[in-house]
């Protein structure tokens, strides 16, 4: 799925625009015991409550693809004979009306999710009559491609709020409010099936994680029978380690600056094209970038070997997980320097009298703890 696909389904989660036929929930204790269940039409709730439920589901379709949103690819065998795929398909086709299927799904979630607090499993079913779009991207609501039927799942921690003083309008005074159980933003969730090129793709799904360092592998395996790509944070750490170990002495500030510039340039090319798939890079792509900035062929070959050993020869890594396109940070044990990525050329390194220095060009607008300071030029000192 690309950005436009995700945005189109996310727009469905509007109180006035959706055709959500069913919203179900299962409240589970930290020990894995079912506390309660509910099954209602979305419009059976007061509008204020319904919009709060929709806000939770919107979170499951938020974030960057490759970081918070992780694609799932099902094999032909899983689609034909996979137990998990069959269960999700039955839930979708029955519009969450098959009690046995929904309860079996709850059991799979409960066995795979381990939280320190209670949590809420939320499910909704929707049928989206996909409107026709012509070559000029104009929508014709009188015609449609198909009805895209899908289910969304959100797993939300339920946390105990703190007691507090609250204002009671009737009394015009503040009174004590007891602690209450409050539903928090989802920790994980998924969309099934995938919505690609404005159509259903039963060979795909999209999972969500709130924490870029946790891909919730157990959850994806239990409910989908499929593996999910490594967490974004792990991919970035592994890629950084591969660069450091392969380049060794050639892993200079200039090289990292230049590689980041190449990656950012590639990302800018697809940034405004919402129909483009998320940008991924191979070891050859990075190798070419290293070659452009003058890294020796020996070190590039070492990078290829370590990349293959870590990720696999044909592995594609999301560009946003390779380097940080939105920041340029230089860190030492005692100093952290953050620079606008568009102005990374302001930072350079130099060896002076045998000591290594990081130099930052500072022409104007220099502040120290919020105080504007002036840097005396050498001619002013003399």
């Amino acid at each position: 799925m690309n950005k436009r696909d995700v945005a189109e389904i996310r727009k469905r989660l509007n109180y006035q625009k959706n055709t959500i036929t069913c919203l179900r929930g299962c409240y589970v204790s930290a020990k894995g015991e079912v506390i309660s269940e509910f099954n209602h039409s979305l419009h059976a709730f007061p509008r204020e409550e319904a919009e709060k439920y929709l806000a939770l589901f919107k979170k499951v379709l938020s974030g960057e693809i490759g970081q918070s949103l992780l694609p799932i690819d099902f094999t032909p065998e899983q689609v034909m004979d996979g137990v998990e795929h069959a269960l999700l398909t039955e839930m979708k086709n029955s519009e969450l009306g098959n009690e046995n299927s929904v309860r079996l799904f709850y059991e799979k979630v409960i066995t795979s999710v381990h939280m320190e607090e209670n949590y809420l499993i939320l499910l909704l079913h929707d049928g989206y009559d996909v409107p026709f779009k012509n070559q000029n991207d104009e929508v014709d609501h009188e015609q449609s491609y198909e009805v895209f039927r899908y289910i969304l799942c959100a797993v939300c921690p339920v946390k105990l709020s703190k007691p507090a003083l609250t204002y009671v309008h009737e009394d015009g005074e503040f009174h004590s409010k007891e602690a209450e159980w409050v539903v928090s933003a989802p920790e994980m969730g998924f969309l099934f099936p995938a919505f690609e090129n404005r159509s259903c793709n039963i060979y795909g799904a999209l999972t969500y994680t709130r924490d870029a360092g946790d891909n919730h592998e157990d959850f994806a395996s239990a409910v989908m029978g499929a593996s999910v790509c490594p967490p974004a944070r792990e991919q970035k750490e592994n890629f950084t380690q591969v660069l450091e170990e392969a380049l060794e002495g050639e892993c200079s500030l200039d090289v990292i600056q230049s590689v980041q510039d190449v990656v950012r340039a590639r990302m800018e090319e697809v940034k405004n094209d919402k129909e483009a798939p998320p940008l991924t890079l191979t070891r050859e792509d990075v190798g070419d970038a290293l070659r452009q900035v003058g890294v020796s062929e020996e070190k590039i070959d070492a990078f290829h070997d370590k990349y293959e050993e870590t990720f696999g020869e044909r592995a594609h890594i999301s560009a946003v997980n390779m380097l940080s396109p939105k920041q340029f940070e230089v860190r030492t044990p005692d100093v952290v320097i953050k620079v606008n990525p568009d102005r990374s050329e302001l930072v350079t390194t130099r060896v002076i009298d045998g000591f290594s220095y990081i130099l930052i060009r500072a022409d104007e607008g220099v502040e120290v703890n919020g105080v504007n300071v002036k840097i005396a030029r050498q001619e002013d000192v003399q």
Side-chain angles (χ1 to χ4, degrees), residues 116-135:
E116 295 181 357
E117 59 269 303
N118 299 352
Y119 59 92
L120 177 63
I121 307 168
L122 289 174
L123 287 167
L124 70 74
H125 172 274
D126 184 25
Y128 176 33
D129 196 359
V130 184
F132 176 79
K133 280 189 178 182
N134 61 25
Q135 293 180 343

Side-chain angles (χ1 to χ4, degrees), residues 73-86 89 202-203 224-226:
D73 294 317
F74 296 106
T75 64
E77 292 76 19
Q78 286 174 311
V79 174
M80 292 293 294
D81 302 313
V83 174
E84 294 82 7
H85 193 281
T89 302
I202 62 173
Y203 290 88
M224 295 189 180

Side-chain angles (χ1 to χ4, degrees), residues 13 36 70 76 81 118 128 146 155 182 187 220 261 264-266 268 273 287 308 324 326 337:
L13 304 176
S36 65
L70 307 175
D81 302 313
N118 299 352
Y128 176 33
E146 62 178 270
V155 181
V182 179
E187 285 292 328
D261 288 344
R264 287 181 64 245
R266 292 282 299 275
E268 284 295 322
D273 185 358
E308 179 180 350
S324 300
K326 296 182 180 180
I337 304 168

Side-chain angles (χ1 to χ4, degrees), residues 47-224:
R47 176 165 181 166
E48 184 179 356
E49 289 184 19
E51 290 181 341
K52 284 182 168 59
Y53 280 111
L54 291 174
L56 294 172
F57 284 111
K58 283 181 180 179
K59 284 288 187 181
V60 176
L61 296 177
S62 63
E64 289 283 341
I65 298 175
Q67 292 187 326
S68 297
L69 300 174
L70 307 175
I72 291 282
D73 294 317
F74 296 106
T75 64
E77 292 76 19
Q78 286 174 311
V79 174
M80 292 293 294
D81 302 313
V83 174
E84 294 82 7
H85 193 281
L87 177 62
L88 294 173
T89 302
E90 169 58 29
M91 290 168 60
K92 173 182 69 74
N93 291 344
S94 68
E95 300 182 4
L96 300 177
N98 187 316
E99 295 296 329
N100 291 333
S101 296
V102 172
R103 287 209 164 84
L104 179 57
F105 173 81
Y106 287 156
E107 291 174 8
K108 287 179 175 291
V109 175
I110 292 169
T111 58
S112 62
V113 172
H114 306 287
M115 292 191 184
E116 295 181 357
E117 59 269 303
N118 299 352
Y119 59 92
L120 177 63
I121 307 168
L122 289 174
L123 287 167
L124 70 74
H125 172 274
D126 184 25
Y128 176 33
D129 196 359
V130 184
F132 176 79
K133 280 189 178 182
N134 61 25
Q135 293 180 343
N136 296 324
D137 211 28
E138 297 171 336
V139 177
D140 183 354
H141 291 284
E142 300 301 319
Q143 301 184 58
S144 66
Y145 290 109
E146 62 178 270
V147 177
F148 173 60
R149 302 191 181 279
Y150 65 94
I151 55 177
L152 263 177
C153 173
V155 181
C156 309
V158 180
K159 301 180 179 180
L160 195 62
S161 66
K162 294 182 179 179
L165 285 173
T166 60
Y167 181 72
V168 179
H169 181 74
E170 292 79 6
D171 298 340
E173 297 178 357
F174 288 85
H175 296 286
S176 176
K177 180 182 178 181
E178 298 298 325
E180 297 177 333
W181 291 101
V182 179
V183 179
S184 302
E187 285 292 328
M188 66 197 82
F190 67 83
L191 166 73
F192 174 87
F195 182 68
E196 297 179 357
N197 298 318
R198 310 195 70 240
S199 184
C200 173
N201 176 15
I202 62 173
Y203 290 88
L206 190 67
T207 64
Y208 166 81
T209 177
R210 188 180 180 205
D211 181 1
D214 188 352
N215 62 357
H216 302 292
E217 179 70 36
D218 291 345
F219 174 72
S221 178
V223 302
M224 295 189 180

Side-chain angles (χ1 to χ4, degrees), residues 346-357:
L346 295 175
V347 183
T348 187
T349 56
R350 192 170 302 171
V351 177
I352 303 175
D353 297 331
F355 295 98
S356 300
Y357 290 88

